[in-house]
Amino acid sequence: MKNLLITFILSLFVVACSQVNTGEVGIKTTQGKVSGSGLSPGLYWYMPGISQIHILNTKVQTVEQDSQAASRDLQNVQTQITLNYHLGTQDPVGHYTRLGDNQSQIEAAIVKPAMSEAFKSVVAQYTAEELITKREAVSNAVVDTLANRLKQYDLYVDSVSVTNFQFSKAYSEAVEAKQVAEQNAGKAK
């Protein structure tokens, strides 16, 4: 009986450890409350059931999304957007208390809607033809718009790729017919 009592008492003081790797920040919570500041890479001890170490990834994350918008001349435009972003490290505790540590939920609730809204607001400023001829300006505008939207959440844009603009079939056929007519007119001269 005495051995059982000693084992029970010792088990109350069992601790666990968690490792925070390079490219991560740890947040220690004790009874659900954040305790201290962000934890830099290293090994940390905690008491299971009382405290916990939450890991926030500060490495570059990639999100891909198909987006659709209307151009200034009301042509439907579809494209794929690839965003590379990372979590800022200035205030990991603030990030954790506002957004948590679930990367999938952050992307679904904040990042992807911001990508879609940024694309729609930029595309609406250009005609379908300008989207092709001013591709770099469009891409830069998407980066700037998206960076401004995500900055408030301590998320920072590293790069954005806007690939393969696709227009409606009717618009694509009209553009092709116009090009053929211009070529035929050039040959007739």
Side-chain angles (χ1 to χ4, degrees):
M1 183 70 169
K2 186 176 179 182
N3 287 339
L4 185 61
L5 182 61
I6 291 172
T7 304
F8 177 74
I9 291 172
L10 288 176
S11 70
L12 292 176
F13 296 102
V14 170
V15 294
C17 68
S18 182
Q19 182 171 345
V20 177
N21 296 313
T22 301
E24 297 175 339
V25 174
I27 303 295
K28 184 175 183 180
T29 57
T30 303
Q31 296 179 338
K33 295 179 183 177
V34 173
S35 52
S37 60
L39 305 173
S40 58
L43 194 60
Y44 296 93
W45 299 95
Y46 65 96
M47 294 186 68
I50 296 174
S51 59
Q52 187 175 3
I53 306 291
H54 302 272
I55 304 296
L56 302 177
N57 190 340
T58 60
K59 296 176 195 162
V60 174
Q61 304 292 311
T62 300
V63 179
E64 292 183 346
Q65 177 172 298
D66 292 328
S67 291
Q68 183 174 325
S71 65
R72 189 172 70 206
D73 54 355
L74 301 179
Q75 296 300 319
N76 286 331
V77 181
Q78 293 180 337
T79 192
Q80 184 178 51
I81 300 173
T82 303
L83 167 66
N84 292 320
Y85 74 98
H86 68 276
L87 168 66
T89 57
Q90 276 66 31
D91 185 20
V93 171
H95 177 85
Y96 176 77
T97 55
R98 288 186 312 147
L99 304 176
D101 62 349
N102 187 323
Q103 193 68 34
S104 298
Q105 285 181 337
I106 293 168
E107 288 178 3
I110 294 169
V111 177
K112 286 186 174 186
M115 289 170 68
S116 182
E117 186 57 36
F119 179 71
K120 287 177 181 180
S121 69
V122 169
V123 167
Q125 300 171 23
Y126 294 90
T127 65
E129 183 179 347
E130 290 173 333
L131 290 171
I132 301 300
T133 60
K134 298 179 179 179
R135 187 179 195 95
E136 187 174 342
V138 171
S139 183
N140 290 339
V142 170
V143 169
D144 292 344
T145 304
L146 193 51
N148 286 333
R149 290 181 190 269
L150 293 178
K151 182 173 46 175
Q152 65 185 319
Y153 299 106
D154 199 28
L155 301 172
Y156 297 92
V157 173
D158 293 307
S159 67
V160 175
S161 298
V162 180
T163 57
N164 197 20
F165 283 122
Q166 294 178 345
F167 300 97
S168 68
K169 186 176 180 181
Y171 181 76
S172 297
E173 289 172 355
V175 168
E176 187 175 332
K178 179 183 174 187
Q179 289 175 339
V180 169
E182 288 175 357
Q183 289 172 353
N184 289 340
K187 289 179 184 177
K189 288 184 183 183

